[in-house]
Amino acid sequence: MEFFVARSRLTLIFSLFFFLSLCFRSSSSLSSSPTDLKILTAERRIDLASHIIRVVLTLKVQNDGASPASDVLLAFPPAQAKHLALIHAAEVAGKKRKKTLHPLDVKTSSNAEGPNGAKLYSISLRNPLSTGGSVSLEVSYVLTQSLEPFPVEISQSEPQLVLYRDSALILSPYEIKQQTTVIRTPSTKVESFTRVEPSTHLRTELKYGPYEDQPAFSYTPIVVHFENNNPFAVVEELVREIEISHWGNLQVTEHYTLVHNGARHKGGFSRVEYQSRPTYSGVASFKSLLVKLPPRVHSVYYRDNIGNISTSHLRTGYSKSEMEIEPRYPLLGGWKATFVIGYGLPLEDVLFESADGKRYLNFSFGCPIAETLVNKITNKVVLPEGSKNPSVAVPFSVEQRAETSYSYLDIVGRPVVVLEKENVVPEHNSLFQVYYDFHPMFMLAEPLMLISVFFFLFVAALAYIHMDISIRK
Ligand SMILES: *[C@@H]1O[C@H](CO)[C@@H](O)[C@H](O)[C@H]1NC(C)=O
Ligand SMILES: *[C@@H]1O[C@H](CO)[C@@H](O)[C@H](O)[C@H]1NC(C)=O
């Protein structure tokens, strides 16, 4: 009993201490926040059409301070910062028609957090913004796992409803003179949304604002409850093996664990009803997926642990190939499927030689299935035996390590470059390069080894035939 009281007192002291340190932290970071900048106009467009949320933020920033400013800060509520898959910023030059975008660097700010744990990102401007000057910026970012199914479980005949939480006011470390937010929903079916006057709902658009003269770090929570029957296709894990063979082929093998990450399915499943009333039954499920492959793929296969799945259609074209795959059963909320997709590509389409004599692979990084989120991707690039000094160029941050793999006839093993990344969205499907040194003599190693093995067999056989091992006298 005494022990219990002592413990709870300790907890109290600790939480008080924690609270005080929080207060102290937020006040200290506030004082250091740059207030010389001001946002004249801000427009935010939030696209909720799929389960991957895309936001475009257009800002006009003015410097009211005495000294030039080289960075502009962005703020995200902690819940959004955690699900931020990607962020790009650009400086906008010219007006509407003749608009040009100059990409800018964005990185997590070295500043402490903003109030309430807001995470700060810093955009480096092309040229410092002089006193009284203004600049137009376009920021686009992608949020994942930010739609919460509500109800959490649905039956086969129900549509999928989800909640989206945000703020009616744009979270910013600067004062905003005038701002609007437009939220686009996949259909006109909006159950409810938080009103913050002036706010309007017209067809598939919810408009918040215009709001005038909002101080820094203003935040007004809103919730939008709407219907979203798009496939919530999430690959929990994707392992891609990309094997280079200097004999002219690139072999790609992709291992998938796919899950329907929307509202969980409850009750029984009737395939008859599913097939006869597709517009009402299992509207939030998916039965086929589109895989975008390079143009000249060959030997394509699609299998699971039972065997090949024949219900896939491949269309090869001049600029791309598309394959429609159907898992063995439709995926309803919470259901999983594991499968493997494999294909070959002519090496000349993906392997090149750089000016300094290195060879390099130029290949896509992400998941080829359309509109899919990958929680964790592992790209394993298996280089030919005898390759040296591999180096990697990827347009975003990845975890990198090295392995060695052995297959038939390998003596020293093949160097494997392993690239890992979490929270991968279709925007990550860009090209990456793996450079390495390779001496052509190594190509002869395996044939020479085979030839010598055969030669020794031949000599042994010859010796055996000519040897007299009978015990005649
Ligand atoms: C599966 O398909 C691949 C490619 O078409 C083929 O090589 C393989 O033999 C097939 N396997 C089975 C078990 O049918
Ligand atoms: C990789 O290939 C793309 C086209 O497929 C090309 O535009 C790009 O320049 C290539 N990258 C390198 C480094 O060669």
Side-chain angles (χ1 to χ4, degrees):
M1 185 64 196
E2 234 165 78
F3 168 73
F4 183 73
V5 171
R7 224 178 65 165
S8 61
R9 198 170 292 158
L10 208 69
T11 325
L12 192 78
I13 292 170
F14 263 118
S15 35
L16 247 176
F17 181 75
F18 183 67
F19 179 73
L20 281 177
S21 69
L22 261 186
C23 294
F24 182 73
R25 263 229 327 252
S26 56
S27 66
S28 70
S29 61
L30 251 183
S31 63
S32 70
S33 85
T35 48
D36 291 346
L37 295 181
K38 184 200 279 175
I39 296 176
L40 300 179
T41 55
E43 192 200 50
R44 181 173 55 156
R45 298 195 150 263
I46 305 173
D47 186 350
L48 302 182
S50 116
H51 66 127
I52 298 171
I53 298 166
R54 297 181 171 91
V55 185
V56 178
L57 185 62
T58 322
L59 303 173
K60 186 157 189 209
V61 186
Q62 179 175 295
N63 186 2
D64 283 350
S67 52
S70 54
D71 304 292
V72 175
L73 296 181
L74 298 170
F76 289 91
Q80 280 190 1
K82 208 170 72 190
H83 295 129
L84 192 64
L86 191 100
I87 178 163
H88 287 311
E91 190 177 318
V92 186
K95 284 270 181 280
K96 282 194 172 156
R97 282 276 181 82
K98 290 180 187 154
K99 187 169 101 169
T100 48
L101 296 175
H102 302 278
L104 301 174
D105 261 358
V106 188
K107 53 183 186 301
T108 51
S109 171
S110 51
N111 276 30
E113 294 173 346
N116 298 316
K119 294 274 182 299
L120 299 179
Y121 282 75
S122 155
I123 305 177
S124 315
L125 296 175
R126 277 199 305 163
N127 308 307
L129 191 59
S130 54
T131 305
S134 68
V135 63
S136 293
L137 301 175
E138 191 173 292
V139 180
S140 49
Y141 56 93
V142 179
L143 298 171
T144 58
Q145 313 267 23
S146 302
L147 297 178
E148 181 190 327
F150 187 78
V152 176
E153 290 188 330
I154 54 171
S155 69
Q156 192 176 342
S157 57
E158 286 175 296
Q160 176 171 269
L161 298 173
V162 296
L163 298 174
Y164 175 69
R165 296 171 203 279
D166 206 320
S167 165
L169 299 171
I170 299 167
L171 189 69
S172 170
Y174 312 115
E175 175 195 343
I176 305 181
K177 293 294 285 177
Q178 197 200 54
Q179 61 173 306
T180 44
T181 291
V182 175
I183 301 180
R184 196 166 76 85
T185 54
S187 74
T188 54
K189 291 173 188 151
V190 176
E191 293 283 301
S192 69
F193 65 98
T194 314
R195 289 187 180 274
V196 181
E197 294 313 327
S199 49
T200 52
H201 178 208
L202 189 69
R203 302 178 61 75
T204 60
E205 269 190 8
L206 289 168
K207 188 173 169 198
Y208 283 95
Y211 304 116
E212 318 277 337
D213 298 319
Q214 296 297 325
F217 290 111
S218 298
Y219 189 85
T220 309
I222 54 164
V223 182
V224 185
H225 191 202
F226 63 104
E227 187 172 320
N228 187 336
N229 290 318
N230 287 293
F232 279 41
V234 175
V235 176
E236 291 186 329
E237 181 157 31
L238 169 57
V239 179
R240 297 174 93 204
E241 281 156 25
I242 302 159
E243 192 173 341
I244 300 172
S245 158
H246 277 166
W247 299 101
N249 192 43
L250 183 82
Q251 182 61 42
V252 184
T253 315
E254 300 174 336
H255 302 261
Y256 289 88
T257 310
L258 179 76
V259 66
H260 184 312
N261 202 35
R264 278 200 306 277
H265 173 69
K266 72 170 179 211
F269 171 64
S270 155
R271 199 179 261 271
V272 177
E273 195 184 317
Y274 187 82
Q275 275 160 354
S276 58
R277 301 173 63 209
T279 45
Y280 298 103
S281 184
V283 280
S285 73
F286 46 100
K287 55 173 191 283
S288 70
L289 293 166
L290 188 68
V291 187
K292 293 178 182 160
L293 299 176
R296 299 207 289 159
V297 287
H298 62 80
S299 334
V300 182
Y301 65 86
Y302 165 49
R303 65 176 160 80
D304 62 7
N305 47 12
I306 307 176
N308 280 348
I309 309 177
S310 55
T311 51
S312 60
H313 314 280
L314 177 70
R315 290 181 297 274
T316 52
Y318 180 69
S319 61
K320 63 170 193 278
S321 305
E322 284 184 342
M323 182 166 71
E324 202 182 331
I325 58 169
E326 273 183 39
R328 288 191 194 269
Y329 43 85
L331 284 189
L332 279 85
W335 292 12
K336 265 187 202 184
T338 54
F339 54 87
V340 179
I341 295 175
Y343 52 92
L345 275 173
L347 201 60
E348 74 234 39
D349 289 6
V350 289
L351 194 76
F352 306 94
E353 207 172 311
S354 66
D356 59 355
K358 278 181 170 262
R359 300 185 185 214
Y360 70 93
L361 173 79
N362 186 15
F363 200 57
S364 68
F365 185 88
C367 168
I369 303 181
E371 207 50 12
T372 300
L373 162 68
V374 183
N375 286 344
K376 184 177 177 202
I377 192 169
T378 307
N379 277 300
K380 296 186 174 189
V381 181
V382 184
L383 302 176
E385 197 177 27
S387 306
K388 293 259 166 13
N389 312 322
S391 63
V392 178
V394 191
F396 34 77
S397 69
V398 293
E399 295 271 323
Q400 188 182 335
R401 62 197 158 81
E403 283 178 2
T404 310
S405 94
Y406 294 90
S407 74
Y408 318 109
L409 299 176
D410 283 353
I411 307 163
V412 290
R414 305 175 183 218
V416 184
V417 175
V418 185
L419 304 173
E420 290 177 333
K421 185 166 181 64
E422 290 181 2
N423 208 10
V424 176
V425 291
E427 280 78 355
H428 286 118
N429 281 12
S430 42
L431 295 159
F432 73 105
Q433 291 84 31
V434 178
Y435 293 83
Y436 60 95
D437 290 320
F438 184 79
H439 199 283
M441 272 303 281
F442 264 99
M443 281 191 69
L444 294 177
E446 283 178 9
L448 278 180
M449 201 166 71
L450 278 181
I451 290 168
S452 40
V453 166
F454 279 115
F455 181 73
F456 279 116
L457 277 179
F458 177 72
V459 170
L462 218 65
Y464 178 74
I465 289 167
H466 287 269
M467 212 162 23
D468 189 359
I469 46 167
S470 58
I471 29 175
R472 257 179 311 143
K473 286 252 161 104

